[in-house]
Amino acid sequence: MAGTVRSGLAAVVLCAVSAASLAVQPLPERSQFASRLPDPALTPSPDADNLPTDPQYAIATSRDRIGRIIAAVTINGQGPFRFMLDTGASRTALAASTPVRLGLTAQLQAPILVVGISGTAVVASVHIDSLESGDMHFRDLDLPVLSGPVFDGIDGILGMDCFAGMKVSANFAKDRFAISQSRGRGAAYGYSVVPVKIISEHLLMAEGTVGGVRVKAIIDTGSSHTLGNPALLAALTHSHYGGPKQFETAVTDATQASQLGEVARVPKVHLGAATIDGLAVTFGDFNVFNAWGLEDRPALLVGMDVLGTLDDLAIDYRRNELQMLPRNQWHQFALAMGW
């Protein structure tokens, strides 16, 4: 964060990216996480007819839609409000329309510096007495207030200042999302587990490789697409005879700053026991990699184009791990559990 925080201002990192700003296809349907379970194509799920036709909370990524994870939140006893879970956000933030609905006025006397993917902005804040979702309960919060395309269809962003000791679970197959106290239990059979470290401002970082290049991978449910830094692109270009083919696109963040990036398909990505194939990554000298001190090391920000292709995703902040069940594996998992 050195060099990004102005004297006298609280600083917030928000890594949300508007899906509309990136013209990139999500992962192919048959090119998802590797699994220890049998091929799901051999056994169709009996629950297919009962899946939600218009998911509201755990919204999966498909060929024509980038998914989101939505939490039902009450503020000052009012709501529920729809907040996007953003594991790349150091703090919770409100959409500009939310204080109005609460009868509150955003104050410029207590400004907050917001560090986004592409830029920074000084924004007004609002004080709230309480914020609750599931087992999460907070009191006396000063939250930044923002607007722009990142906040389309949501009332705010639920950041990582709230999740110490918690477990968050998103079941994309069943359209369910829950925040609960972690019991410290390991993942169930069939799940891929990725150990993570908590780094700057509560962010989740995993160790991985891209085409054999070691990377630091930030897990970001607030970003629609996966981003890479120039150090990773340079390493891939050196090790793969000219590097992947590229085209340009724009990236718009929570501060409404926009920056051009180069989109390229990358070799296989390995995170723990999980393998991702056919992934399109948007490369650029994005501001947030500098804020994390990752500008000189190959780094990846893993977005919902990857995470939304799962059937089930859990983040256990007590165990410091991701627990992932690949898409279309729910039926095999249910059989193994005797359900």
Side-chain angles (χ1 to χ4, degrees), residues 14-17 22 26-27 31-33 61 66-69 84-89 117 160 172 194-196 199 203-210 213-229 232 266-272 274-283 286 288-289 292 294 298-310 313 315 317 322 324:
L14 292 180
C15 294
V17 172
L22 286 154
L27 291 178
S31 184
Q32 298 166 5
F33 288 93
T61 295
I66 296 296
R68 276 181 167 181
I69 301 174
M84 177 179 68
L85 179 72
D86 185 356
T87 58
I117 289 289
M160 295 300 97
F172 296 100
V194 179
V196 296
I199 63 166
L203 300 175
L204 303 171
M205 185 179 74
E207 301 287 341
T209 63
V210 179
V213 176
R214 291 186 177 275
V215 298
K216 306 292 186 181
I218 303 297
I219 308 302
D220 185 8
T221 60
S223 179
S224 58
H225 290 75
T226 296
L227 308 179
N229 68 352
L232 175 57
V266 299
K268 286 185 178 181
V269 179
H270 295 279
L271 295 176
T275 299
I276 310 163
D277 201 5
L279 177 62
V281 174
T282 302
F283 290 96
F286 298 115
V288 75
F289 287 116
W292 292 330
L294 295 175
L300 198 66
L301 185 150
V302 181
M304 285 300 294
D305 53 342
V306 172
L307 302 172
T309 65
L310 298 166
L313 169 67
I315 306 171
Y317 284 88
L322 301 183
M324 305 181 298

Side-chain angles (χ1 to χ4, degrees), residues 16-18 20-22 116-121 149-150 227 248-261 282 284-287:
V17 172
S18 169
S21 70
L22 286 154
I117 289 289
S118 304
T120 62
V150 165
L227 308 179
E248 286 191 339
T249 189
V251 177
T252 303
D253 68 10
T255 70
Q256 300 194 59
S258 185
Q259 180 177 340
L260 286 178
T282 302
D285 189 14
F286 298 115
N287 179 55

